[in-house]
Amino acid sequence: MGKILVTGAVGFIGFHLSSHLCNQGYEVVGIDNMNDYYEVTLKQGRLDLLLEIDGFRFIKMDLTETNSINDLFNKEQFDYVIHLAAQAGVRYSIENPNAYIESNIVGFMNILEACRHNPVKHLLYASSSSVYGGNKKIPFSTEDSVDHPVSLYAATKKSNELMAHAYSHLYHIPTTGLRFFTVYGPWGRPDMAYFLFTKAIVNKEPIKVFNQGKMERDFTYVDDIVEGISKLLEKPPVENSQWTDQEGKMSESSAPYKIYNIGNNQPVKLDHFIRVIEDTLGIEAEKQYMDMQPGDVPKTYADVNDLEEAIGFKPQTSIEEGIKSFIDWYKEFYKK
């Protein structure tokens, strides 16, 4: 089936994706620096499960280690690269901006350079719905301008898309950027709202509800994200000499380059989201209503028409189904 490099393999999405690809018959080499941005025990738990899967190998490595990345590509000669590793989190980018430049800009540059010197069939990389920033038009379309980010995290993800285009144009590397919309599910990130809410409610602690509960998010279950990536893997973009910026899609190019949204296409109000968690746990939350946080946006909503047209698939797991799966996992993992 081919050999795939998954960066950030011990991260939330990387863990689920690596497992899925191995089960499909691919050979997967996973790298991760196992940093302590959130609890390492969670990352170790994911890794322990991955190491039990046939076809998976793990190498502890940081994306900023240029020589190590180059040696890895030279040795392994990957067929595909799925680049998920990044410094995540909108709010943390306000506190620690340098971490985002190192990981998200320098790290991605090293991946692009390695793909340049060791050509691959397809490089897929994680972008984010955060790139839509201050956009008011909804749903968010990959044809919309994304020139007004409201966080450094978003700016680094937009930079990744621009860097990928330059390398697709100059070196004919097929690249696909994936704008993920609020991914959630079992083994998720502890800094995400649904995880924080569940932990607080279980421990009888108050939860902070920002923007007075008027937020809306296009919550996307992790299995839907994995399915979308898997289906896109064997569909690399191709060069199109007829493309122009007057007549062609802005998510495409004359180069082998493409951008997709992967979102549930059904925004959920924050108050309803919390109610689903409460109902699933059977516990009512104590709520502290707060103002909007810097760098945040009131609503996300994905237009996924391009995705559905390309692979005949769009995310559709309901919030009730997804939250139940997460809470079942949470209770088991934390013995609650």
Side-chain angles (χ1 to χ4, degrees), residues 179-211:
R179 293 175 180 170
F180 299 145
F181 281 68
T182 316
V183 188
Y184 74 103
W187 293 98
R189 278 177 28 213
D191 61 324
M192 296 292 285
Y194 68 95
F195 207 119
L196 293 169
F197 290 159
T198 300
K199 181 179 180 181
I201 294 169
V202 166
N203 292 327
K204 305 293 195 297
E205 297 169 354
I207 63 173
K208 294 179 179 180
V209 184
F210 291 100
N211 197 31

Side-chain angles (χ1 to χ4, degrees), residues 8-277:
V10 183
F12 171 36
I13 298 172
F15 160 69
H16 287 278
L17 179 64
S18 296
S19 175
H20 177 79
L21 292 172
C22 286
N23 289 335
Q24 282 195 315
Y26 291 100
E27 179 184 354
V28 176
V29 177
I31 65 171
D32 202 295
N33 66 1
M34 298 286 285
N35 68 31
D36 61 357
Y37 170 64
Y38 58 79
E39 57 186 273
V40 177
T41 54
L42 191 58
K43 298 180 179 182
Q44 188 62 52
R46 297 178 188 136
L47 178 57
D48 289 344
L49 290 177
L50 285 173
L51 291 174
E52 296 176 0
I53 300 173
D54 289 341
F56 180 83
R57 284 186 288 133
F58 178 71
I59 302 169
K60 187 176 180 181
M61 186 178 294
D62 195 291
L63 291 175
T64 61
E65 298 170 359
T66 305
N67 290 337
S68 296
I69 294 293
N70 290 338
D71 289 345
L72 177 70
F73 273 74
N74 288 335
K75 176 184 176 184
E76 298 288 350
Q77 295 297 306
F78 299 109
D79 297 297
Y80 306 93
V81 174
I82 304 175
H83 176 60
L84 302 176
Q87 179 57 61
V90 168
R91 297 177 195 103
Y92 189 62
S93 70
I94 295 171
E95 301 168 19
N96 191 2
N98 289 338
Y100 290 75
I101 300 303
E102 283 294 310
S103 181
N104 300 7
I105 303 297
V106 176
F108 189 48
M109 181 69 189
N110 284 338
I111 292 296
L112 288 169
E113 274 289 289
C115 289
R116 169 191 174 187
H117 295 292
N118 299 272
V120 296
K121 296 177 182 177
H122 195 183
L123 164 62
L124 300 95
Y125 61 95
S127 185
S128 168
S129 62
S130 297
V131 301
Y132 291 104
N135 286 19
K136 303 299 182 186
K137 173 183 164 291
I138 54 174
F140 295 153
S141 168
T142 51
E143 303 310 303
D144 297 338
S145 168
V146 287
D147 293 333
H148 300 92
V150 296
S151 70
L152 180 64
Y153 170 69
T156 64
K157 288 300 186 178
K158 172 61 178 174
S159 299
N160 287 171
E161 295 178 2
L162 296 172
M163 293 163 70
H165 184 271
Y167 272 69
S168 291
H169 173 76
L170 290 169
Y171 309 115
H172 313 287
I173 303 168
T175 66
T176 296
L178 306 167
R179 293 175 180 170
F180 299 145
F181 281 68
T182 316
V183 188
Y184 74 103
W187 293 98
R189 278 177 28 213
D191 61 324
M192 296 292 285
Y194 68 95
F195 207 119
L196 293 169
F197 290 159
T198 300
K199 181 179 180 181
I201 294 169
V202 166
N203 292 327
K204 305 293 195 297
E205 297 169 354
I207 63 173
K208 294 179 179 180
V209 184
F210 291 100
N211 197 31
Q212 309 301 321
K214 296 175 184 175
M215 311 278 268
E216 292 184 52
R217 287 290 179 269
D218 210 347
F219 294 102
T220 312
Y221 190 61
V222 65
D223 286 358
D224 287 333
I225 294 286
V226 166
E227 186 72 14
I229 298 173
S230 177
K231 287 181 178 294
L232 286 169
L233 185 63
E234 303 281 2
K235 289 185 175 291
V238 296
E239 296 185 16
N240 178 9
S241 61
Q242 304 304 309
W243 182 90
T244 67
D245 60 350
Q246 286 83 29
E247 298 178 6
K249 291 183 176 182
M250 298 311 296
S251 59
E252 300 175 358
S253 168
S254 57
Y257 168 90
K258 179 65 180 175
I259 300 288
Y260 292 102
N261 287 334
I262 303 189
N264 204 41
N265 193 230
Q266 297 179 50
V268 174
K269 288 187 166 75
L270 185 55
D271 280 341
H272 176 69
F273 184 65
I274 293 169
R275 195 155 51 247
V276 172
I277 295 174

